[in-house]
Amino acid sequence: MAVYPTEDPRQALARRLRALRELHWPGQGITQHQLGQALGGRKALSAPLISSWESPTNPAVPPASRLHAYATFFATAQSVAAEPYRVLPLSTLSDDELRTRTDLLRELLQLRDAAVREPVARPMSAEPTGGGLWHFPDLRTITVVCALLPAELRNKFPYADPDSPDYIALYTYADLDALIELYGHLRATNPATEVRFKTAEELLPDDYTTHLVLLGGVDWNLVTRDVLRPGRVELPVRQEARDEGDPEPNGFKVLENGSVKYFTPQLDEAGQLIEDVAHFYRGPNPFNSKRTVTICNGMYGRGTLGAVRALTDIRFRDRNDAYISRRFATEHEFSVLSRILVVRGQVVTPDWTAPEIRLHEWP
């Protein structure tokens, strides 16, 4: 009896993508050129690229961000109501269409997850890498904002002194490890987009109206404090300092349904951090509703790094992004508080699919 090899997971994904294009709407097949125009928006994807994703022999695996676009496109017949075909804003989809999108996205991401487990050598590409929530398809400027280290900390080493011959500007930044982790990922995920970083004090008026990514909390990052003012972003989550003399450490305060909960980091008997609390928020930019604001914030720096790594770590980013897509499929803004485990001083990337890791979700 003949034994046939199991289908390559990449081929299973390629076969599904081709079936969507050719068979999803009976009697209305879509060419690779038409699909490339729709998925690419202002910068159309080439027909050969679409073909590479559908190849029956040696398919390339599309970035997760493109599968988000696939799911939105094929969730509604409105996408092909008129040429050129296009991916519509989620706000224009009905509840049934949003449910269809959620189910299709879950299926495609599961197929992709199986495909990327296979070690496949592939050539360098200008396509976005590991898209998801850190991919901004409108190609508009992204500005990462860090806090400036307080003067008493900058004064402790000469590299942060502008008058020193050894001055290095980055030594004046707080949350530098989170910045380095995120900046490289943003550049890989948005290769055609300007990505810049500044301290809060360096921001110009025009910077506030870009896609803002805020690293660090209200204690040092003045822009985080400004964005979270009442009337700008209405969240039930607040980072709060306890009164002096209070035995409890600083933490996040959640006010919902008339009750208050505090979520605080954990230190061991020697005062070493063993668990931080991190906040991830995404919503409309209060200074420009056509752009977004994202906040990654921990009570300590390792919490901020953990919030960033949830969607940059290659081992966890796809599953965390898929969870967010399912959980908040119909929402324009959302917030997740999570535990950040610290082992021997090292941050463990949070798995948002694990209920014990998620402390609070909104809405």
Side-chain angles (χ1 to χ4, degrees):
M1 181 176 64
V3 177
Y4 297 96
T6 303
E7 182 181 33
D8 185 329
R10 295 175 302 139
Q11 293 173 331
L13 175 59
R15 181 166 45 80
R16 182 67 174 111
L17 295 179
R18 181 166 187 147
L20 281 173
R21 182 177 61 81
E22 294 182 341
L23 305 173
H24 186 69
W25 287 299
Q28 187 166 5
I30 301 168
T31 68
Q32 292 175 340
H33 175 72
Q34 289 171 323
L35 183 59
Q37 283 187 313
L39 298 182
R42 295 194 311 159
K43 187 178 180 182
L45 306 183
S46 67
L49 178 61
I50 301 296
S51 179
S52 74
W53 295 342
E54 298 179 357
S55 170
T57 54
N58 187 32
V61 178
S65 60
R66 296 304 185 193
L67 298 184
H68 282 255
Y70 264 94
T72 305
F73 181 79
F74 287 105
T76 172
Q78 299 177 69
S79 303
V80 294
E83 292 197 51
Y85 301 155
R86 60 197 182 98
V87 176
L88 298 171
L90 292 181
S91 59
T92 66
L93 272 59
S94 68
D95 290 345
D96 286 343
E97 289 169 339
L98 286 170
R99 282 190 287 271
T100 298
R101 176 189 182 273
T102 298
D103 292 342
L104 179 56
L105 179 60
R106 182 187 301 114
E107 176 194 358
L108 293 178
L109 289 176
Q110 287 174 346
L111 288 169
R112 184 183 187 277
D113 188 49
V116 296
R117 291 196 192 107
E118 299 292 317
V120 179
R122 54 175 64 91
M124 294 294 290
S125 168
E127 274 297 292
T129 299
L133 280 169
W134 287 129
H135 175 60
F136 297 86
D138 63 1
L139 305 181
R140 302 299 184 180
T141 300
I142 305 164
T143 305
V144 183
V145 184
C146 292
L148 181 70
L149 280 176
E152 60 269 22
L153 296 180
R154 300 199 307 273
N155 292 339
K156 290 182 178 180
F157 46 98
Y159 292 114
D161 180 2
D163 295 328
S164 169
D166 290 321
Y167 173 69
I168 298 174
L170 282 178
Y171 278 112
T172 68
Y173 281 63
D175 296 301
L176 188 53
D177 50 359
L179 172 62
I180 293 172
E181 171 78 18
L182 182 58
Y183 180 75
H185 187 78
L186 285 171
R187 291 293 297 116
T189 306
N190 304 274
T193 299
E194 180 184 6
V195 182
R196 55 198 183 199
F197 57 85
K198 297 184 176 184
T199 64
E201 286 77 0
E202 293 173 324
L203 254 61
L204 301 174
D206 285 351
D207 295 323
Y208 284 90
T209 59
T210 63
H211 289 293
L212 284 177
V213 180
L214 311 180
L215 301 182
V218 299
D219 45 0
W220 289 355
N221 195 323
L222 303 179
V223 181
T224 303
R225 188 183 309 171
D226 286 339
V227 165
L228 292 177
R229 289 185 187 277
R232 289 182 176 165
V233 172
E234 296 297 339
L235 274 171
V237 180
R238 286 287 182 268
Q239 182 186 16
E240 291 212 341
R242 298 296 183 89
D243 294 333
E244 187 174 352
D246 193 320
E248 294 292 330
N250 299 346
F252 286 95
K253 174 183 177 181
V254 176
L255 175 61
E256 272 190 331
N257 302 320
S259 64
V260 178
K261 290 183 179 180
Y262 281 95
F263 298 96
T264 59
Q266 305 297 317
L267 284 72
D268 65 15
E269 298 80 359
Q272 298 297 307
L273 182 66
I274 57 175
E275 183 180 303
D276 204 350
V277 181
H279 186 208
F280 186 98
Y281 167 80
R282 165 68 64 81
N285 183 337
F287 309 115
N288 181 359
S289 62
K290 293 186 177 181
R291 306 291 177 265
T292 62
V293 63
T294 309
I295 299 174
C296 296
N297 174 25
M299 292 309 304
Y300 296 98
R302 278 170 281 197
T304 301
L305 177 59
V308 167
R309 285 185 60 79
L311 293 169
T312 62
D313 187 334
I314 193 170
R315 299 162 300 170
F316 291 93
R317 65 193 184 201
D318 285 347
R319 79 175 73 163
N320 285 339
D321 188 79
Y323 173 78
I324 292 299
S325 296
R326 292 191 301 269
R327 172 67 176 79
F328 303 107
T330 61
E331 305 297 339
H332 298 292
E333 59 179 331
F334 68 89
S335 161
V336 177
L337 272 181
S338 60
R339 304 179 191 276
I340 302 297
L341 304 181
V342 180
V343 181
R344 297 176 62 84
Q346 300 298 311
V347 170
V348 178
T349 303
D351 180 356
W352 286 343
T353 66
E356 66 273 14
I357 292 296
R358 304 190 309 272
L359 297 171
H360 179 266
E361 298 170 281
W362 175 87

